[in-house]
Amino acid sequence: MTVSVPATSANLGPGFDSLGLAVDLRNVVEFHPSKFFSVSIKGEGENNPKLKGNNLFVSIFNEHYNRLTKKRQNFKFTFYNQIPMSRGLGSSSAVIVSAIASAHEAAGINVSKRRILNHALVYESHPDNITPAVMGGFNAATVEKGKVFSQKKHLPDYIKAVVVIPNKQMNTARARTLLPKSYSKENAIYNLSHTALSVAAFFNEDWEILKLASQDRFHQKARMKTLPELFGVQKTAYESGALMSTLSGSGSTFFSMVYDEDSVAIANKLSQKFPEFVVKILDFDNDGLIVEK
């Protein structure tokens, strides 16, 4: 059995804890019943022995598998990880979603994506990453009475993502401590209006307005100050023709949306200016969670 989940970029500027999209960079897990329990990791995290002994995926998988089957069973898990850890690309959401989906698959129980998404909310209380991880595409989401309500927009092939991945990790919990405890009415209205405009722009495919719509007053500057080079990344991306350029989640990755024909030139410019960072051109992912037997 194989389960895969894409990387995600959340917030997208003003849409704090509510907007996110999926990019074509996947974590894959293969698993089958085994006489003995074992974990093998290839790719991101393969050199971190703690992930084998204290594995979030295994913990969530066992919790759901035991709940569904009322029995214990050993499995052999092999992880093929492409999503960088603690870089603002939804690595934890990918783990949570894949663990829940894998447990249901192992138990032989068909379950809807919406149900998996609501289960994931138990482990990650904001829906901006988990929603595109499950659904794919661009998503606007909110939580009401313990459930995620969302709308998805399929992203076309003629736009691409250019991501700049620094060599510094960013802990989401710590990143939240950098934010103000309260916001002025003016700034709240600013972010609300820009989020609304961003959602309309995505659904209408009006990409040219995203540079304006994706401006933020809630979180980006405070988080970017921990790695000041990110201001230069954003400036370079816009000067090179990016449609929008925002901090990915809590960072440290920076996400830019570009036209396909501009993607190589923009990526090359960013690579030249920031040689110590990894720059990738990625397709958008419209599939989200994929389960294969």
Side-chain angles (χ1 to χ4, degrees):
M1 292 173 277
T2 303
V3 171
S4 70
V5 178
T8 50
S9 183
N11 299 325
L12 304 177
F16 188 58
D17 279 0
S18 59
L19 302 185
L21 50 76
V23 295
D24 191 18
L25 192 68
R26 286 183 167 266
N27 280 3
V28 179
V29 57
E30 295 178 352
F31 58 99
H32 59 80
S34 175
K35 187 175 181 180
F36 301 103
F37 165 78
S38 70
V39 170
S40 174
I41 300 173
K42 300 179 181 180
E44 294 287 335
E46 65 181 2
N47 297 320
N48 186 347
K50 291 182 180 179
L51 291 180
K52 292 186 178 182
N54 183 23
N55 191 290
L56 177 63
F57 175 99
V58 174
S59 174
I60 296 173
F61 176 94
N62 284 337
E63 178 184 338
H64 283 269
Y65 183 79
N66 294 343
R67 174 181 62 82
L68 293 166
T69 66
K70 302 295 189 292
K71 65 180 182 181
R72 298 185 65 84
Q73 167 71 56
N74 287 323
F75 288 86
K76 178 181 180 180
F77 299 100
T78 304
F79 298 92
Y80 302 90
N81 295 338
Q82 291 186 318
I83 305 173
M85 301 176 68
S86 300
R87 295 295 203 288
L89 286 169
S91 59
S92 61
S93 292
V95 168
I96 292 166
V97 169
S98 60
I100 296 167
S102 296
H104 282 80
E105 186 67 17
I109 296 174
N110 291 324
V111 62
S112 69
K113 284 190 172 185
R114 183 65 57 181
R115 189 77 177 270
I116 289 173
L117 178 56
N118 287 327
H119 281 310
L121 195 61
V122 173
Y123 308 96
E124 193 158 302
S125 59
H126 40 93
D128 49 346
N129 283 110
I130 55 175
T131 307
V134 174
M135 301 297 184
F138 165 82
N139 290 260
T142 190
V143 175
E144 191 73 33
K145 296 180 179 179
K147 294 183 178 181
V148 178
F149 295 84
S150 63
Q151 291 290 304
K152 172 186 173 180
K153 167 65 178 175
H154 186 285
L155 295 171
D157 293 338
Y158 64 83
I159 54 170
K160 304 294 180 188
V162 174
V163 293
V164 178
I165 307 172
N167 48 15
K168 177 184 177 182
Q169 293 186 337
M170 176 67 79
N171 179 275
T172 301
R174 181 181 176 278
R176 284 182 178 268
T177 67
L178 303 173
L179 305 181
K181 287 185 169 57
S182 62
Y183 297 94
S184 69
K185 181 180 179 181
E186 179 187 2
N187 285 344
I189 292 171
Y190 183 94
N191 263 51
L192 179 62
S193 62
H194 282 69
T195 300
L197 186 58
S198 292
V199 173
F202 269 95
F203 275 86
N204 290 323
E205 299 189 7
D206 186 0
W207 314 119
E208 299 292 336
I209 204 170
L210 281 175
K211 181 177 180 180
L212 182 152
S214 61
Q215 300 304 304
D216 163 76
R217 290 185 182 176
F218 269 18
H219 68 101
Q220 283 197 148
K221 285 185 179 179
R223 288 167 163 174
M224 289 165 66
K225 285 178 182 177
T226 65
L227 191 62
E229 296 96 319
L230 295 178
F231 291 99
V233 170
Q234 186 181 49
K235 184 172 184 289
T236 302
Y238 276 136
E239 288 175 348
S240 303
L243 297 165
M244 65 180 290
S245 189
T246 57
L247 188 66
S248 186
S250 59
S252 56
T253 294
F254 224 82
F255 160 82
S256 294
M257 178 185 285
V258 305
Y259 287 123
D260 186 16
E261 61 264 29
D262 299 330
S263 60
V264 173
I266 292 173
N268 286 343
K269 188 74 173 179
L270 288 164
S271 294
Q272 292 165 10
K273 200 85 178 279
F274 304 95
E276 69 276 24
F277 297 162
V278 174
V279 179
K280 292 179 180 287
I281 301 171
L282 300 171
D283 292 328
F284 289 103
D285 178 277
N286 289 300
D287 296 321
L289 167 68
I290 295 175
V291 179
E292 299 173 298
K293 295 183 180 179

